[in-house]
Amino acid sequence: MSFAAPLALFALLAVPAVVALHLFHRRYRPRRVAALFLYAPGVHEQTAGRARTPLRRSASLLVEIAAATALALWLAGPRVSAWSAPQHVVAVLDDSASMATVGRGGESAAARARAVVEVALAEAGRDARVTLIATGPRPRVLCGPAAPAAAAADALAAWDPTAAHHEFAPALALAGEVAGRDATVLFVTDAPVDVPAGVGVRAVGEPADNAAIVRAQRVPREGGERLWIDAAAFAAGPMTARLTVRALDGSAAFPGIEAGLQLEVGRIARYEFDLPEGLGAVEVALGGDALALDDRVTLLPEPRRTVGVAVRLPAETADALQLGHALRALGSAVELRPGEPDLEITAAPGQGGFLVQCVVVPGEEPVESWLGPFLLERRHRLLDGITLEGVVWTAGVVAVGRGLAFAGDRALLGEEVLGERLRVSLALDPARSNLSTSPDWPILITNLVAEARARLPGPERVNVRLGEPIVWRERADATGTLRLVDPAGAALPGAGVQVVTFHPERPGLHVLQRDGAEVQRFAVHFADPRESDLRACATATVAARPLP
């Protein structure tokens, strides 16, 4: 048995009060006498107060006790559960951005998902317990575990699906652990999906045509910037859309851009525009459609993070590697800085103030030469875009550190991680190799510069897609507390000390603050073709398969 208002049971204190009144209630038995004058005067005096008398059972006592007990129980609201515990509703909500799609009736899939959960809770009864989980790479518990059903209302109202495409398995696994074998997991999404046993699916989506911005980027150039916009149509046929670009700070130097777009199904349409130098944040928008989240992008100007380079190689080695030509090709991205460089290319390892050091070691006789195929660690950023096809590689030593490129079992390129710094070992005899004349050499130099730039203090990037982290690298002498404030004013926690990482959860401008003062702004935008394609959305109900 349970009670709706357990505190009302304090009203049962009226029962001992009734008993006490009867214990101290004096009753006189009537007696007939011939004359009162026969009794002495003192006999008629009343003693002060009441004395305890034996309790006499009477109809009035029993009725008063029964009435006090019934009133207290009525106020407490007793409930009888016939041999069963309160039902536990475990609901998993698809947090993908496609759940924000507004259907033909003007109602979003997210609103229909909230209604499904509310109906499930109403059917479970007032005693039901609820656990709400939102999907994501890191599933979030919105309510619970096993919270009272009334607590779900605020959690459902605050739920706003904006996540990029992700797997549902982590959230469903968490729900299965919370539910155990006594509760069924309800997964609410916008399209039927395969789920484990014990999970029922309610799909509340509607198919819709949609146009989306799938990529947006600002690239610095001489005298200004270049804006690249990639748009796509996810529909049964070609679509038209209206594109607008405006400055959020109202700069008079940029009157804005308006253009009509013709979008073909299955093709990415790229549009390029020039932006004046010194322009602040700009907003790129398409005309409204079923999913508004992928129609609007805010972009900030990327800061120019110039990498200082020092070349400390013998003249003949530097000439053989054509380093001067390779560095000049990078333009303003690098500058020669012999004092305290960010990237140092040298013939011997040192302990200077570098961020990335590349040590070129030709080696002593005898040397060996190799003509592919070479084994490459292609997931490493240093080898991004490198194939070494047609390269003749000659060296007399083995690269130091963890091998990244091999000829057989011999390491030709290696790395050593020195705290926040990186040392790259290049076992290469430039005079007897053709690496410097191959297309891979400028790519390798570019990747080395990118590694050094990624280690510069400040933001790795100021424009990130939703689902990607915001990375901030602290200076060695930095003090104070960092926090990232999202467009809704909520503070997001960061992870790390020297390199601090934040995971934004909604698009828009985010402000990085140190002890309350603004340090840097970041623009987070949504761009995910898999979520923008709404053609597979549907409405369906799939019953849960029994657990084995």
Side-chain angles (χ1 to χ4, degrees), residues 250-432:
S251 174
F254 182 64
I257 298 171
E258 292 191 12
L261 307 186
Q262 299 292 328
L263 304 177
E264 299 290 334
V265 178
R267 296 180 59 185
I268 302 296
R270 168 164 292 182
Y271 300 87
E272 300 181 19
F273 306 96
D274 290 326
L275 299 179
E277 191 172 13
L279 191 62
V282 299
E283 182 186 72
V284 182
L286 292 178
D289 52 25
L291 183 60
L293 194 63
D294 57 13
D295 293 339
R296 196 172 301 274
V297 171
T298 300
L299 295 174
L300 291 167
E302 289 287 351
R304 294 181 182 270
R305 292 160 57 82
T306 302
V307 175
V309 181
V311 179
R312 299 191 173 104
L313 292 172
E316 60 274 14
T317 303
D319 291 341
L321 290 175
Q322 303 183 36
L323 279 175
H325 177 71
L327 293 174
R328 284 193 298 272
L330 295 175
S332 60
V334 298
E335 65 179 9
L336 294 179
R337 192 187 302 161
E340 291 290 330
D342 305 312
L343 171 62
E344 181 183 49
I345 304 176
T346 182
Q351 300 298 325
F354 63 86
L355 298 175
V356 176
Q357 184 182 65
C358 180
V359 182
V360 181
V361 185
E364 304 293 337
E365 297 288 347
V367 298
E368 294 185 61
S369 297
W370 299 271
L371 176 61
F374 299 96
L375 179 63
L376 306 178
E377 178 57 79
R378 298 188 181 278
R379 292 175 298 178
H380 199 284
R381 293 187 298 183
L382 277 177
L383 297 181
D384 187 22
I386 292 178
T387 63
L388 298 183
E389 292 183 4
V391 171
V392 177
W393 194 300
T394 304
V397 293
V398 177
V400 178
R402 184 173 77 94
L404 301 177
F406 296 86
D409 60 351
R410 188 161 180 172
L412 306 177
L413 181 68
E415 70 164 356
E416 296 176 272
V417 178
L418 310 173
E420 295 299 324
R421 301 186 297 172
L422 178 69
R423 177 178 290 149
V424 178
S425 175
L426 187 62
L428 178 72
D429 187 341
R432 304 183 188 184

Side-chain angles (χ1 to χ4, degrees), residues 87-91 128-133 140-149 151-152 155 174-180 183:
Q87 186 173 346
H88 187 189
V89 177
V90 182
R129 296 290 173 171
V130 60
T131 300
L132 298 181
I133 299 174
R140 296 177 295 127
V141 178
L142 304 178
C143 181
L174 175 61
E177 294 177 2
V178 173

Side-chain angles (χ1 to χ4, degrees), residues 63-77:
V63 170
E64 291 172 16
I65 291 175
T69 303
L71 179 61
L73 293 177
W74 178 76
L75 292 174

